[in-house]
Amino acid sequence: MSRPALLAGLSGWLPPIVVDNAEILRHLDSTEQWITQRTGIHRRHRAEPGTATSDLAIRAAAPLVAAARGPIDAVVVATMTPDRQCPATAPVVATGLGLTGAAAWDVANACTGFVYGLATVTAMISAGVLNRVLLIGAETMSAVLDRSDRGTAMIFGDGAGAALLEAGRPGDAPSFGPFDLGSDGTRPGLVAIPAGGSSDPDGEDRCIRMEGPSVYRSAVEKMTDSAQLAAKAADWSVADVDWFVAHQANARILDAVADRLDIPPARRFVNVDRVGNTSGASVPLALADLATSRRARAGDKVLITSFGAGLTWASTTLTWPEGL
């Protein structure tokens, strides 16, 4: 009999340097009004020099390791800013958390990486492959930012969020519902770091680039459709949704998707204004912030959706656990 995967804990961590819009404008020819109108972002966090993505991941996940009710079998890190191109960052994180010997791997799906990771680890728990898994989204986006690039410099921030998942007993209701996952690789350049991979190993542009208008249209379309499919598969109507937690890309995208889904502002959870777009860390940071706010109640229905480079999209549902 398959075992349900239960959400046992959430935690997040933001590095100490706070970058407000005035600091961004030191490198850009723009205005604070233009930044806030287009993105809704007022500040974001930046890692201190010499800080690696693994450092952020370890800080975010450490409280969950301390609170775990048994051995952790695997550590999965969703990131587009790994410590190194090789090896994966997850083994470094596992060792840093005192979990040497645990299975460890990365998910390189950028902004959708955490939800893709959820789909993988919940299936593995259900199948009996793993019993308790630490899933982390962590990004040091400042390491791949061109601060003079108007399309990206104001948007991205650093941070990490983590979730602890464990096997329940047969008959327990799983925390997460069905997943909707998809991709379109016909336009990989819409969000990309052009150089450094095998397609351009000698190129010089190692910063993230984004075609904003095209990304906006695709993100709104795909997150709306994917969220609807996940809700339908869970036998939820949008009216059932207590909280809408989307990848915190920017405020205009979040509002456009929520408006299309007919989810009122009071049921939209937003933290992009104070953390920016943290890519793979975005969804777990938002969930951790929702937990910290104590606004979600046991049994609340949470609709989760994300969109990112690839292009990829991913959605699922979450029934908020008691005592989280």
Side-chain angles (χ1 to χ4, degrees), residues 256-278:
V257 175
D259 287 345
R260 287 191 177 195
L261 293 171
D262 201 25
I263 295 176
R267 291 191 275 140
R268 307 171 189 179
F269 189 82
V270 178
N271 67 355
V272 69
D273 56 324
R274 56 190 185 273
V275 303
N277 181 338
T278 55

Side-chain angles (χ1 to χ4, degrees), residues 85-163:
Q85 188 172 5
C86 179
T89 299
V92 177
V93 174
T95 295
L97 291 167
L99 302 175
T100 300
W105 68 92
D106 289 0
V107 179
N109 270 53
C111 302
T112 60
F114 183 82
V115 184
Y116 266 79
L118 275 176
T120 302
V121 301
T122 55
M124 295 179 78
I125 289 172
S126 180
V129 177
L130 300 170
N131 293 310
R132 189 171 287 107
V133 182
L134 192 60
L135 174 61
I136 308 165
E139 301 286 12
T140 311
M141 297 302 296
S142 58
V144 295
L145 272 185
D146 175 355
R147 297 185 189 181
S148 65
D149 181 0
R150 189 182 179 94
T152 58
M154 68 188 72
I155 296 172
F156 291 101
D158 300 342

Side-chain angles (χ1 to χ4, degrees), residues 54-262:
S54 60
D55 297 319
L56 274 61
I58 290 167
R59 291 293 295 268
L64 300 182
V65 175
R69 294 174 291 190
I72 294 173
D73 305 315
V75 176
V76 182
V77 176
T79 185
M80 63 169 288
T81 55
D83 288 7
R84 303 168 183 84
Q85 188 172 5
C86 179
T89 299
V92 177
V93 174
T95 295
L97 291 167
L99 302 175
T100 300
W105 68 92
D106 289 0
V107 179
N109 270 53
C111 302
T112 60
F114 183 82
V115 184
Y116 266 79
L118 275 176
T120 302
V121 301
T122 55
M124 295 179 78
I125 289 172
S126 180
V129 177
L130 300 170
N131 293 310
R132 189 171 287 107
V133 182
L134 192 60
L135 174 61
I136 308 165
E139 301 286 12
T140 311
M141 297 302 296
S142 58
V144 295
L145 272 185
D146 175 355
R147 297 185 189 181
S148 65
D149 181 0
R150 189 182 179 94
T152 58
M154 68 188 72
I155 296 172
F156 291 101
D158 300 342
L164 182 65
L165 293 98
E166 61 185 21
R169 298 185 181 92
D172 289 343
S175 295
F176 293 96
F179 287 83
D180 178 72
L181 310 173
S183 74
D184 176 3
T186 61
R187 299 175 292 170
L190 290 186
V191 186
I193 298 174
S198 60
S199 67
D200 189 8
D202 301 320
E204 296 182 357
D205 192 354
R206 308 295 176 97
C207 293
I208 187 167
R209 306 296 179 188
M210 184 167 62
E211 296 182 21
S214 295
V215 170
Y216 175 89
R217 290 190 295 270
S218 294
V220 172
E221 175 189 350
K222 294 303 184 183
M223 281 202 288
T224 301
D225 291 347
S226 183
Q228 289 173 327
L229 288 169
K232 182 178 180 180
D235 200 24
W236 292 3
S237 73
V238 174
D240 295 327
V241 174
D242 297 293
W243 295 103
F244 179 58
V245 178
H247 162 54
Q248 304 289 299
N250 71 49
R252 291 174 63 230
I253 291 176
L254 297 178
D255 285 342
V257 175
D259 287 345
R260 287 191 177 195
L261 293 171
D262 201 25

Side-chain angles (χ1 to χ4, degrees), residues 11-23:
S11 183
W13 192 77
L14 294 166
I17 299 175
V18 178
V19 180
D20 60 17
N21 289 340
E23 172 65 21

